[in-house]
Amino acid sequence: MDKNAISRKTFLELVAATASAGVLAGCGSTRAGSSSASGSGDGTYADTITFSQGSEPRGLDPAFVDDGESGKVMVQIYENILQYDTDTCDVVEGLCGLPEVSDDGLTYTFKVKDGIKFHDGNTCDAEAIAKNIQRQLEPDRTEDMPYASFNFGSIESGTGVESVEATDSSTLVFKLRAASTPFLANLAMCMSSPIVSPAAFDTAMENPVGTGQYKFVSWTKNSNIVLKRNEDYWNADKAGKTENIIFTFIAEAASRVTALNNGEADIIDGIDEAVVDTVEQGGSKIFTMDGMNINYMAFNTQSEKFKDKAARKAFAKAVNVQELVDSLYNGYSSVANSVMPTWMAAYDKDVVQTAYDKDAAQKELADLGITSVKCITYSNPRPYNGKGGQVLAEAIQGYLKEVGVDVTIDTYDWTTYKTKVETEEYDICFYGWNGDNGDPDNFMNLLSDPSKTMNVARYQNDEYDALIAKGLQTAAGSERDDIYLQCEQIVAEEQPWLLISHSKNILGYSPKVSDFHFHPTAVTFLYDAVKEA
């Protein structure tokens, strides 16, 4: 057997222990006891919980979106073939049971559970599930499916799903092009993988239809999304407890805090350390969790100014990242010397990033003739950057001014920004990533993905791509860790990103609310949540 092949016995043991024990151990395992907010309660509950976030979703069809604002709503509506455990990235049964896997790790056979209906009354069977995946495979895949290649691979890369078919109404068979260690974890992700009623494919962006605990009711643009409990939900143990869930959109963090303390919102996110005291002084509570994320500035490696790594490194030398993180985040973020969080198995503290050297930066940038840089950024708070992109960009602008470089900043709301990074020319942009599945591939693959909304540095490196493909096929352990260490070293040397920070996730919530589950993937499951009347 090839050294990268996975025996059926070994693979099923790994699945039972969360698919990749060495990789996933940090994904929520040390915080599971604190990731649900609990209160006393007297048994009398309100019929509505309101969750307020910084911007509205780009859409609600998981095949066509890649933003957290969409994900927070979608996880209430949709379910997956497999799911993550409530508080960790452990892979557990979902719409299907755990699969049988061929000895070569290339064929996965799932059994779909009986009696599951979509919200429109249609049966969720193997054929319906297969259609969800098939529409995201080549050649049916379209350019506006940002996660499709990331989750399901491509013909060109020789990775991912070659085919999926329903062999009968309850049997689903995937065939892979190559063995993939993160494959099962990818099936549980809240982007691309959730299962939509095929009857709703044409309308799900604004009228989603899933199988989950909550049904979509309405979306009033720039205001709110209303969900109602699915009274016919198939799994009584996880049925929704509160009748109505409302998501509201309030751009300013201070206004969200006011809404929370006034009782207009019950849970808020997208806040930073600057408002913690205000939340608590208003009688509300704060929930924090170490984030599974990275906050970074990306160089456009295809722009004339930054196509050469010497220019990227010269720019990076101008920024005192430690000072920047200390001054902006006040202990709620730590300096990133790695793309991956420090607890992820492949993390290595000895990867050396470009050091701050103002004098060298000034000379090198002058020698390269770089006197101006065009920057685009976002205005909204993000899970990895509660300050929002404007504040971060202005801080970088200040450092570059000191070495004789003028940085012009164009700022957009998050929904618009997601389009701008695809269509607009820029020299640098600000972005970040919250891990989807607890696997190092989920972080490092960003710089290999062809999508401009995933790989905003527009970086291409054949050696790097080959390592990513090898990492996918290698079982969890020291050999796989070494592959991702090599990827980290290439990122440090080639400098497509300027790494900034790993942040804590902060939520504010009413003391009347209990039992919401904030997940390491930065979505909040609300099916258990209740609010004292």
Side-chain angles (χ1 to χ4, degrees):
M1 183 182 293
D2 184 281
K3 67 179 181 180
N4 290 331
I6 307 170
S7 73
R8 181 175 182 276
K9 179 177 182 293
T10 300
F11 199 92
L12 290 178
E13 287 173 349
L14 286 173
V15 170
T18 76
S20 180
V23 172
L24 300 185
C27 183
S29 61
T30 61
R31 358 180 236 262
S34 61
S35 61
S36 302
S38 299
S40 55
D42 61 4
T44 303
Y45 299 118
D47 62 6
T48 301
I49 289 177
T50 300
F51 187 109
S52 184
Q53 58 189 39
S55 62
E56 65 185 326
R58 295 185 73 202
L60 295 174
D61 185 333
F64 293 96
V65 298
D66 61 354
D67 62 304
E69 279 64 34
S70 299
K72 294 167 197 173
V73 179
M74 291 191 303
V75 297
Q76 323 303 330
I77 299 169
Y78 297 115
E79 295 174 297
N80 297 36
I81 294 171
L82 299 175
Q83 302 285 143
Y84 298 126
D85 196 18
T86 302
D87 300 311
T88 73
C89 293
D90 295 1
V91 178
V92 299
E93 294 183 357
L95 297 173
C96 300
L98 297 176
E100 290 188 2
V101 186
S102 62
D103 287 342
D104 61 4
L106 299 180
T107 302
Y108 290 69
T109 302
F110 294 87
K111 286 293 184 181
V112 182
K113 295 178 179 177
D114 293 332
I116 302 176
K117 297 282 189 180
F118 290 107
H119 300 152
D120 58 10
N122 289 313
T123 299
C124 179
D125 58 12
E127 183 179 0
I129 294 174
K131 286 179 179 179
N132 274 263
I133 311 302
Q134 289 164 351
R135 66 176 176 150
Q136 297 181 70
L137 302 182
E138 298 162 309
D140 295 327
R141 175 186 300 166
T142 59
E143 291 185 357
D144 53 354
M145 293 178 171
Y147 257 79
S149 61
F150 196 67
N151 266 14
F152 302 121
S154 66
I155 295 170
E156 183 180 2
S157 68
T159 63
V161 178
E162 181 176 27
S163 66
V164 58
E165 62 178 273
T167 57
D168 60 47
S169 63
S170 64
T171 306
L172 189 69
V173 180
F174 284 82
K175 292 189 180 298
L176 306 189
R177 297 186 183 93
S180 174
T181 296
F183 174 62
L184 293 187
N186 286 351
L187 290 181
M189 284 163 47
C190 74
M191 304 297 174
S192 182
S193 295
I195 304 304
V196 181
S197 172
F201 281 172
D202 292 338
T203 57
M205 280 293 275
E206 295 190 357
N207 291 279
V209 179
T211 62
Q213 290 97 332
Y214 285 90
K215 294 181 177 183
F216 174 81
V217 175
S218 65
W219 184 350
T220 303
K221 294 292 182 173
N222 301 311
S223 179
N224 64 53
I225 289 174
V226 178
L227 309 180
K228 188 175 183 63
R229 183 172 56 210
N230 177 10
E231 301 294 351
D232 300 316
Y233 183 63
W234 62 275
N235 185 352
D237 291 339
K238 288 192 173 182
K241 291 184 178 177
T242 296
E243 184 177 353
N244 307 299
I245 302 293
I246 299 176
F247 285 84
T248 62
F249 321 122
I250 303 175
E252 296 297 325
S255 298
R256 284 197 301 286
V257 171
T258 298
L260 175 66
N261 287 341
N262 286 347
E264 298 168 19
D266 301 308
I267 308 171
I268 63 172
D269 72 353
I271 57 176
D272 62 28
E273 74 290 339
V275 301
V276 167
D277 287 347
T278 305
V279 169
E280 294 180 330
Q281 288 167 7
S284 299
K285 293 186 175 183
I286 288 290
F287 167 83
T288 64
M289 175 190 283
D290 287 340
M292 183 170 64
N293 56 49
I294 178 66
N295 179 27
Y296 64 85
M297 187 201 82
F299 295 97
N300 181 352
T301 59
Q302 295 179 11
S303 78
E304 285 301 313
K305 288 176 182 173
F306 293 118
K307 63 183 179 181
D308 190 332
K309 73 175 181 181
R312 301 193 292 266
K313 283 190 166 291
F315 186 107
K317 289 176 184 177
V319 182
N320 187 334
V321 177
Q322 182 71 61
E323 180 182 73
L324 174 70
V325 172
D326 289 345
S327 63
L328 284 186
Y329 302 115
N330 300 322
Y332 280 82
S333 290
S334 59
V335 170
N337 76 307
S338 167
V339 174
M340 295 179 285
T342 58
W343 46 260
M344 197 165 279
Y347 167 81
D348 192 303
K349 64 180 177 60
D350 294 326
V351 175
V352 178
Q353 303 297 330
T354 301
Y356 173 61
D357 189 335
K358 178 180 175 181
D359 293 339
Q362 187 163 14
K363 180 181 185 306
E364 291 169 20
L365 289 166
D367 290 345
L368 290 163
I370 297 176
T371 59
S372 65
V373 170
K374 179 181 179 180
C375 167
I376 64 171
T377 193
Y378 53 91
S379 57
N380 305 88
R382 306 298 302 142
Y384 42 79
N385 176 22
K387 292 291 186 183
Q390 175 76 24
V391 172
L392 185 54
E394 289 173 351
I396 297 289
Q397 181 185 53
Y399 282 113
L400 270 295
K401 183 176 182 181
E402 293 180 2
V403 296
V405 176
D406 178 43
V407 177
T408 59
I409 303 171
D410 292 330
T411 305
Y412 306 94
D413 67 87
W414 181 248
T415 302
T416 304
Y417 184 65
K418 295 290 287 184
T419 301
K420 291 294 184 180
V421 295
E422 290 186 80
T423 61
E424 189 160 327
E425 293 305 314
Y426 53 85
D427 297 313
I428 61 172
C429 73
F430 288 86
Y431 226 67
W433 185 253
N434 196 91
D436 295 297
N437 64 11
D439 192 283
D441 170 76
N442 188 250
F443 281 82
M444 304 311 300
N445 203 347
L446 291 167
L447 284 162
S448 182
D449 194 87
S451 168
K452 288 181 180 179
T453 58
M454 306 291 274
N455 185 0
V456 295
R458 303 179 186 178
Y459 181 66
Q460 201 282 319
N461 180 314
D462 291 343
E463 177 188 4
Y464 189 90
D465 293 348
L467 286 168
I468 292 296
K470 185 177 180 182
L472 284 170
Q473 299 178 50
T474 305
S478 59
E479 181 182 356
R480 190 168 192 250
D481 293 348
D482 184 63
I483 291 167
Y484 292 112
L485 174 58
Q486 292 178 64
C487 290
E488 288 266 27
Q489 291 168 334
I490 290 173
V491 174
E493 174 59 28
E494 292 282 312
Q495 196 84 60
W497 291 352
L498 172 64
L499 305 185
I500 297 172
S501 59
H502 302 296
S503 73
K504 289 182 179 291
N505 292 305
I506 310 174
L507 277 70
Y509 66 100
S510 164
K512 294 182 178 181
V513 174
S514 63
D515 297 325
F516 62 82
H517 302 286
F518 183 85
H519 196 262
T521 54
V523 296
T524 304
F525 293 100
L526 297 171
Y527 64 88
D528 261 349
V530 291
K531 176 185 175 183
E532 295 175 23

